[in-house]
């Protein structure tokens, strides 16, 4: 190689490195968590909120930036903040789930989260990870491409976060505590919201309905987040098509649809072209309720307002799917594919080191005197492989792992269900030989860089339901989804190993299964749980303990000096 060429390559390398560092910034915010009085549905309510906002602040960063968030807990409750979907590479201490990676921030105390966001672009979000506080403590987290890099789709003329939420005419901590005490399900919410507002189909709400202003012929990027606690949603805009371009901050091949289906915890980025005549068009969301149980079936709305619309135009309402329209939901979820030309596409790992088959569903634990509010007077207890997860209280699992403390958790989570049965046979609902589970803190221990494939199998022990399963610390590839019982000899032939969608939250089909695969290349403790908040305290969860790698750059550092203790 000639001297001139060598000097050019060295110069190019340093330009690349310098430009990379130049594009990264430290983005600093303060979250004051405190009581806030708001008026919804004709009532004044005291809620827990961040910086006096509902939703809380939208965090806007570029890929490569470092976020520094000072959390001051001036509320009457314990609090932690989870940065939903952020990989937390070597910053597992900042992930946030209470008693999994950290102990709560007590009332009157403060803690600073610090982490760098790399290898991700798109829409994520942040939320409280204690009790039902996520119903009011949440906000969008938007990651734009770093300087010099563009979106892998047309540059939009504007961007809007669309955050779906859930509202109770009650203190949400009391709602959760009452359910825990009774052993039954929590009361249904009283409304759903878009950007904190129920919309003008609800009483005392028309004057505050969320409004998005657009110009005819322009294209907009809508960043949709489902921050609701217990409901998946159908989302539509009257007379408009939407083009999905990303889910869970991972780019997809463009997918044109008139309806978006989005589970709690998921995000979906869509392009909207304002190609209709000037007017007012409803954006609307209502639940996708896959289980035959009581649920809030209301519709929340916002308004898409064209510039130049007449002074009193007629609002146009979209026709939403039926509450139990599983075919529409399944069609949406299974038509999404990953964008292999994305700057962060890595491809599906081809060699699998560990296979797991995990059943997910509802069960029961005995109640003294058969006096609880669950079926037959027992207590609800959701489970994975008949292990109903119980959070520790003395210290977090991550601290116990890092300090080699015994007695906080065990590593004997079963790789298979302890009993094989006809998992989705509704005729087995209530079977006394299957319905009872036990409480434990069982986790899955993995060596660094293990590639793991998991079959998530729904069960019908009490009822079948679409379970949104969220994995902290990683994205996973969704290889296939289907209904009934998973059968490897048949269903493995359906695997998409070329361009599957990447996610951090998967809606396991009602009465069905999903297969996911990921590489455990991030040391720490990573929670995997159902993102229906009523199911989390019931125990539909486990955790992955990923060991350190062989080098300092693959080893988890000690916790920050001000790390919360129990």
């Amino acid at each position: 190689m000639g001297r001139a060429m060598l000097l050019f390559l060295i110069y190019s390398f340093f330009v690349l490195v310098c430009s990379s560092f130049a594009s990264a910034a430290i983005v600093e915010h303060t979250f004051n968590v405190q009581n806030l009085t708001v008026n919804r549905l004709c009532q004044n309510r005291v809620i827990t909120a961040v910086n006096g906002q509902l939703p809380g602040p939208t965090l806007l960063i570029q890929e490569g930036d470092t976020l520094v968030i000072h959390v001051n807990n001036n509320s009457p409750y314990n609090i932690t903040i989870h940065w939903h979907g952020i990989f937390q590479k070597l910053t597992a201490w900042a992930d946030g789930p209470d008693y999994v990676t950290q102990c709560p921030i007590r009332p009157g105390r403060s803690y600073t989260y610090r982490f760098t966001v790399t290898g991700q672009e798109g829409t994520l979000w942040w939320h409280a990870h204690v009790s039902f506080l996520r119903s009011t403590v949440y906000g969008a987290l938007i990651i734009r491409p770093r300087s010099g890099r563009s979106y892998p789709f047309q540059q939009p003329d504007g961007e809007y976060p669309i955050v779906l939420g859930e509202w109770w005419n009650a203190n949400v901590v009391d709602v959760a505590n009452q359910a825990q005490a009774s052993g039954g399900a929590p009361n249904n919410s009283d409304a759903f919201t878009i950007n904190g507002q129920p919309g003008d189909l609800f009483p005392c709400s028309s004057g505050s309905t969320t409004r998005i202003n657009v110009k005819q012929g322009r294209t907009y990027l809508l960043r949709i987040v489902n921050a609701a606690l217990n409901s998946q949603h159908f989302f539509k805009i009257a007379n408009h098509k939407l083009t999905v371009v990303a889910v869970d901050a991972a780019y997809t091949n463009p997918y044109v649809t008139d309806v978006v289906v989005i589970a709690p915890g998921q995000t979906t980025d869509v392009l909207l072209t304002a190609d209709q005549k000037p007017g007012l068009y409803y954006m609307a969301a209502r639940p996708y309720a896959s289980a035959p149980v009581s649920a809030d079936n209301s519709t929340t709305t916002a308004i898409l307002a064209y510039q130049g619309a007449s002074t009193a135009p007629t609002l146009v309402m979209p026709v939403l799917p039926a509450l139990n329209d599983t075919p529409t939901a399944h069609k949406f979820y299974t038509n999404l594919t990953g964008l292999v030309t994305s700057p962060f596409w890595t491809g599906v790992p081809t060699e699998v080191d560990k296979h797991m088959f995990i059943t997910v569903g509802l069960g029961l634990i005995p109640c003294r005197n058969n006096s609880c509010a669950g079926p037959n007077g027992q207590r609800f207890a959701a489970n994975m492989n008949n292990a109903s997860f119980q959070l520790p209280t003395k210290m977090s699992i991550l601290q116990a792992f890092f300090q080699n403390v015994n007695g906080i958790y065990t590593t004997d989570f079963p790789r298979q269900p302890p009993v094989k049965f006809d998992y989705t046979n509704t005729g087995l609902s209530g079977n006394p030989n299957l319905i009872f589970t036990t409480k434990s803190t069982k986790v899955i221990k993995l060596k660094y860089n293990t590639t793991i494939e998991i079959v998530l199998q729904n069960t019908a022990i009490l009822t079948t339901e679409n379970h949104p399963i969220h994995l902290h610390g990683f994205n996973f590839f969704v290889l296939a989804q289907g209904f009934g019982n998973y059968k490897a000899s048949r269903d493995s032939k359906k695997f998409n190993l070329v361009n599957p969608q990447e996610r951090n939250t998967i809606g396991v089909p009602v009465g069905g299964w999903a297969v996911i695969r990921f590489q455990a290349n991030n040391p720490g403790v990573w929670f995997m749980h159902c993102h229906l908040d009523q199911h989390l305290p019931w125990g539909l969860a486990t955790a992955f303990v990923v060991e350190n790698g062989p080098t300092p750059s693959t080893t988890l550092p000690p916790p920050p000096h001000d790390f919360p203790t129990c």
Side-chain angles (χ1 to χ4, degrees), residues 353-483:
D353 303 306
K354 188 180 184 72
H355 291 268
M356 296 190 73
F357 188 103
I358 299 178
T359 56
V360 295
L362 301 183
L364 300 174
I365 55 175
C367 175
R368 184 180 300 174
N369 301 323
N370 295 340
S371 59
C372 291
N376 303 320
Q378 309 302 317
R379 300 183 66 88
F380 278 116
N383 65 84
M384 292 183 169
N385 279 354
N386 206 42
S388 186
F389 193 81
Q390 182 167 287
L391 290 170
T393 57
K394 295 180 180 179
M395 68 167 50
S396 71
I397 299 173
L398 181 58
Q399 284 178 285
F401 165 61
F402 190 83
Q403 299 172 10
N404 289 316
V405 176
N406 293 323
I408 303 300
Y409 64 90
T410 61
T411 57
D412 57 343
F413 183 89
R415 292 180 61 168
Q416 304 282 336
V419 177
K420 293 184 178 180
F421 59 98
D422 189 358
Y423 303 113
T424 55
N425 181 354
T426 56
L428 296 177
S429 180
N431 186 311
N433 297 318
L434 298 172
I435 200 168
F436 284 99
T437 181
T438 56
K439 288 289 185 180
S440 60
T441 310
K442 296 181 179 182
V443 305
I444 304 154
K445 197 168 187 179
L446 299 175
K447 291 187 179 299
Y448 180 82
N449 251 1
T450 296
T451 295
I452 181 168
E453 182 179 294
I454 304 173
V455 177
L456 296 166
Q457 174 69 61
N458 203 333
T459 66
I461 293 174
L462 274 180
T463 183
T464 56
E465 186 175 5
N466 186 302
H467 292 288
I469 303 298
H470 171 48
L471 176 62
H472 292 222
F474 302 95
N475 276 358
F476 49 76
F477 293 102
V478 181
L479 303 187
Q481 305 172 65
F483 296 101

Side-chain angles (χ1 to χ4, degrees), residues 72-75 105-110:
N72 302 319
N73 186 10
N74 299 313
S75 81
I105 307 168
R106 306 294 184 186
R109 303 287 183 87
S110 300

